[in-house]
Amino acid sequence: MSRKTVAFAVSSLLLLCAYAAKADDQPPRDLKLVGDHWTAWDPPAPPPDAQVHTVVPGDTLWSLAAKFLGNPYLWPQLWEQNQYIRDAHWIYPGDPLILSTRVAAVEDLETVDLGGEGAPGEGEDGARAAGESGEESGAATEEELKLLRSAEEAAGAPNLLGSESDIYCAGYVGPLEETFPFSITGSEYDGLNPTMDTAAGAIRGNFGGEPSAKYGLDTGDIVYLNAGRNNGLAPGQVLTAVHPDDEVIHPVTGQVYGRLYRYSGRVRVLTAQADSSIAEIVFSCEPIAVGIALRPFEPQPVPLARRTTMRPPNLPSSAEKLIGGPVILLADDRVVSLGQDNVVYIDRGADDDVAPGDLYTIYRINKPGLPPVVLGELAVLSVHSRSSVARILQSRYTIHVGDRVEAK
C-alpha cells in the first residue's frame, strides 16, 4: 500500500465528514455525467473482491435489501457499504452498489508496510525501515493514523434510531374491524382453583370449577391456543399477541381514522395437536389476558441512520407545504405532552412510501401570517399500510398530537 493510498483514504474520510454534517431536504439537483450515466454522487471504483450490483430504474435500497439480503429492513447495511451515497433516498441507474466486501480495519494500518512490495524487515528497504522513522520509510505516521481515526469518527457509522421495545411494544393503527387467525383460549391457571363447598366449608376436590387463579399472564406462563396442526401451527412458531384498543380520531379532520392495535407480547408454540396447541409466553409488554388475539410474529430490526443536525429554526418549511401533510396521529400510552424518546404514530405508512429509517422534522402551525415553528425531529421505526411508529429524537418545545411532520 503506497503513501498515496493513505492520503486518498484520509481525503475520502474527511469528505464523508462534510457529507454527514449536511442534511439533504430536497432531491439533489447538480447531476453530472459519470461514465455512461448521470448521477449526483461520486461513486468510487469497487474493490476487486466486491460483489457489485449496477443500479437500474426502479431500484431502491429497500427493494435491493429484500432481494439480496432477504429482508428489506436490512437496507442500512447496503448504505453502510456504499458511503458515497449521501442521501439513502436517492440512488441512480448506472451507479455501482457494493453488496459485500472485506474492508481492513483502521487499526490494521499500524502493522502494514506502506513503502513498497517487500514485507517489513526484508531487503534493503526493510533494513532501512527497521532503523529509520516512519516518515522516511514510507510507513503511516502516528499523525496520519490519528487523522484517519478522527475522520472516521466524525463521519460516523449509522446509529440505532430506537430500541426493540419501541417496536415490539407499540402496535399499529389499522381498520376498525380486523380479524386474527389465532387466539389464547386458556392457561394452566384455569384449572388450579378447587371448587369450594360453601355449605360444608371444605374443598370438594373438583378443580377448575372456580375462576382462574391468575388473570394477568406474563413471561413464562403456559397458555392454550385455539388452533393446531390443521391450521398451520407447529412447534417453535412464534406469534404476536395483539390487543384491539379504542378508535383513533384524527386530530386534524376529527374523523375516525381507524383502531389502535396494541402489541402485548409474544408466545411460542411448544406442542401442536390437530386443533389446539400448548404455548409459552416468551415476551410480555403488559399483562396478557385469555382471549387475546394472535398473529404470526414478524421480525423488524431496529432501523439505522446517520444523524444530521436538526432543521434550523430560522429556516422552517412553509405553512402551505405542511397543510395536508403528515400528522402525529396519537402517542404511545396516550401521552399528551411529548418530548425526546416518546413513541408516536403518524398517519402515513407503506401506502405512502414511508420506510423505516425515514427522518421527519416536526412543526407547529403558527398564527396566521407567522411561519411554522420547528419543534423537533422524529425517526420512523416500523411501517404499516396506513400508519407508522416513530420515535421523537429531539425536541425544542413540547410536542402534541396533531403537530405536523415533513420528510427531512
Side-chain angles (χ1 to χ4, degrees), residues 15 20 28 126 152 158 244 248-249 252 291 333 349 352 403:
L15 187 59
E152 186 179 52
V248 176
I249 306 298
V252 175
D333 295 328
D352 309 285
D403 283 330

Side-chain angles (χ1 to χ4, degrees), residues 9-365:
V10 171
S11 302
S12 299
L13 287 170
L14 288 175
L15 187 59
L16 283 173
C17 300
Y19 288 171
K22 181 179 183 298
D24 290 322
D25 293 340
Q26 300 295 330
R29 297 181 180 179
D30 299 327
L31 300 182
K32 52 204 168 192
L33 187 62
V34 176
D36 59 354
H37 70 285
W38 292 87
T39 179
W41 313 134
D42 297 297
D49 59 346
Q51 181 185 0
V52 179
H53 167 77
T54 301
V55 177
V56 298
D59 278 349
T60 64
L61 294 184
W62 175 268
S63 64
L64 293 175
K67 179 178 180 180
F68 293 108
L69 303 182
N71 189 335
Y73 286 95
L74 298 181
W75 67 264
Q77 294 185 14
L78 295 181
W79 192 19
E80 174 66 11
Q81 291 277 5
N82 299 271
Q83 297 189 12
Y84 72 86
I85 300 174
R86 292 168 51 184
D87 186 332
H89 293 87
W90 303 98
I91 58 177
Y92 295 85
D95 276 355
L97 195 75
I98 296 175
L99 302 178
S100 64
T101 187
R102 182 185 180 279
V103 180
V106 173
E107 289 76 6
D108 293 344
L109 295 177
E110 297 182 20
T111 60
V112 174
D113 175 24
L114 304 181
E117 294 183 353
E122 296 181 359
E124 280 188 358
D125 291 341
R128 186 170 65 249
E132 296 179 3
S133 69
E135 179 65 29
E136 294 171 342
S137 68
T141 65
E142 184 63 26
E143 289 72 19
E144 288 172 327
L145 291 171
K146 287 180 180 178
L147 182 58
L148 279 170
R149 292 193 186 101
S150 62
E152 186 179 52
E153 291 167 359
N159 297 314
L160 290 171
L161 295 175
S163 66
E164 287 191 351
S165 63
D166 291 334
I167 297 174
Y168 296 133
C169 286
Y172 62 98
V173 178
L176 284 177
E177 302 299 331
E178 184 168 346
T179 58
F180 297 90
F182 316 114
S183 66
I184 295 176
T185 56
S187 77
E188 284 187 329
Y189 297 101
D190 294 346
L192 296 184
N193 274 349
T195 298
M196 300 296 294
D197 185 343
T198 54
I203 299 176
R204 278 191 199 163
N206 178 20
F207 288 83
E210 292 294 320
S212 175
K214 184 177 181 180
Y215 292 102
L217 305 173
D218 54 25
T219 303
D221 288 339
I222 301 298
V223 296
Y224 308 118
L225 312 185
N226 68 337
R229 294 191 307 271
N230 293 339
N231 310 98
L233 292 184
Q237 188 168 352
V238 179
L239 306 170
T240 298
V242 184
H243 175 74
D245 209 321
D246 297 333
E247 294 181 352
V248 176
I249 306 298
H250 197 284
V252 175
T253 66
Q255 303 298 312
V256 175
Y257 192 78
R259 185 180 303 280
L260 174 63
Y261 294 89
R262 221 172 52 239
Y263 294 148
S264 298
R266 295 194 293 273
V267 304
R268 182 178 62 236
V269 177
L270 299 178
T271 59
Q273 292 79 40
D275 297 305
S276 63
S277 299
I278 301 174
E280 178 187 10
I281 297 176
V282 294
F283 176 76
S284 58
C285 305
E286 59 186 9
I288 297 175
V290 170
I292 198 167
L294 300 173
R295 62 185 298 173
F297 170 67
E298 298 178 2
Q300 299 183 55
V302 179
L304 302 166
R306 288 183 177 88
R307 297 283 301 277
T308 58
T309 55
M310 191 167 64
R311 181 91 177 217
N314 61 316
L315 295 173
S317 185
S318 66
E320 290 75 18
K321 290 179 63 177
L322 298 177
I323 298 298
V327 171
I328 295 179
L329 190 59
L330 80 158
D332 203 24
D333 295 328
R334 305 282 180 171
V335 176
V336 175
S337 297
L338 304 169
Q340 184 173 324
D341 295 331
N342 279 126
V343 174
V344 299
Y345 301 81
I346 63 173
D347 64 346
R348 298 291 193 277
D351 293 349
D352 309 285
D353 295 326
V354 179
D358 286 352
L359 300 177
Y360 286 78
T361 301
I362 308 170
Y363 289 96
R364 174 78 44 77
I365 299 295

